[in-house]
Amino acid sequence: PKSQVKKIVSFVFLAMKALTLTLLLLFVVATYAHLYALGSRGPGINSASYADSNYDGPCGGVDLAPSTPINVTAGQAFPVTWALWVNHNLPPEKVGYLTFNLTNSWDITYDTDTYYVAPAIPISTQPVNTYFIQFVNIPQDFVGQGTVQLVYNSLVEGAYYQCIDLYVNPLAF
């Protein structure tokens, strides 16, 4: 019985160390990504490859192939839910900005024309790991494929990207 108790205690101690290490690694992975938008293309926040997906524009290093698009209607105010995982703009750093751009293509590149569809959000003291909602206005004459591009320009560590693919249905009268 004493040897079994020692084995159980040893196992529990080892399991606790493994759990602690796993949680620490998950925290480290999460802190390397900077911006996340619900419904965005690319790996989710629990994916090992998510940490590298924010740095490369125009869509966070994700291939041009779109995700399953979200159906919206022209003229609609579409809610974009986003969060910062790292905030590079805490005082005394400069204020950064989050912009919301729209294009009429799923194949967004650096040369794709985009335009702002919501006011830029100054980034300074927002808490991390907290979701915020910004309504993006879909123009009434916009129909078909579209991509909402989120750009967090930290002005300190560079820019970080996420893209949400849309299919815009015509406004019904």
Side-chain angles (χ1 to χ4, degrees):
K2 282 188 174 184
S3 64
Q4 285 182 334
V5 170
K6 284 184 180 181
K7 286 181 184 178
I8 291 171
V9 168
S10 180
F11 175 77
V12 169
F13 181 73
L14 184 61
M16 294 290 286
K17 285 176 68 175
L19 178 62
T20 302
L21 180 61
T22 301
L23 290 174
L24 179 63
L25 288 174
L26 285 174
F27 175 75
V28 169
V29 167
T31 60
Y32 279 106
H34 296 76
L35 172 67
Y36 182 69
L38 293 181
S40 61
R41 64 170 80 165
I45 56 175
N46 293 324
S47 170
S49 60
Y50 176 70
D52 296 327
S53 68
N54 271 183
Y55 302 104
D56 298 322
C59 286
V62 179
D63 291 336
L64 295 179
S67 62
T68 303
I70 297 171
N71 281 306
V72 298
T73 302
Q76 175 183 358
F78 170 67
V80 174
T81 303
W82 61 275
L84 294 175
W85 295 116
V86 174
N87 185 344
H88 288 293
N89 302 100
L90 293 171
E93 298 296 341
K94 295 187 263 184
V95 173
Y97 293 92
L98 178 61
T99 56
F100 300 83
N101 310 311
L102 182 66
T103 184
N104 63 349
S105 174
W106 289 331
D107 295 328
I108 183 173
T109 67
Y110 282 112
D111 297 324
T112 304
D113 289 332
T114 63
Y115 53 94
Y116 297 118
V117 287
I121 296 175
I123 302 295
S124 178
T125 58
Q126 286 87 346
V128 295
N129 303 330
T130 301
Y131 285 98
F132 299 93
I133 296 175
Q134 173 64 48
F135 286 91
V136 169
N137 296 312
I138 308 298
Q140 289 187 2
D141 59 350
F142 192 101
V143 177
Q145 297 179 359
T147 300
V148 174
Q149 177 196 48
L150 285 74
V151 180
Y152 167 32
N153 188 348
S154 73
L155 302 175
V156 176
E157 294 289 331
Y160 306 94
Y161 304 86
Q162 290 276 277
C163 286
I164 302 171
D165 297 311
L166 305 176
Y167 186 82
V168 182
N169 297 292
L171 181 62
F173 291 101

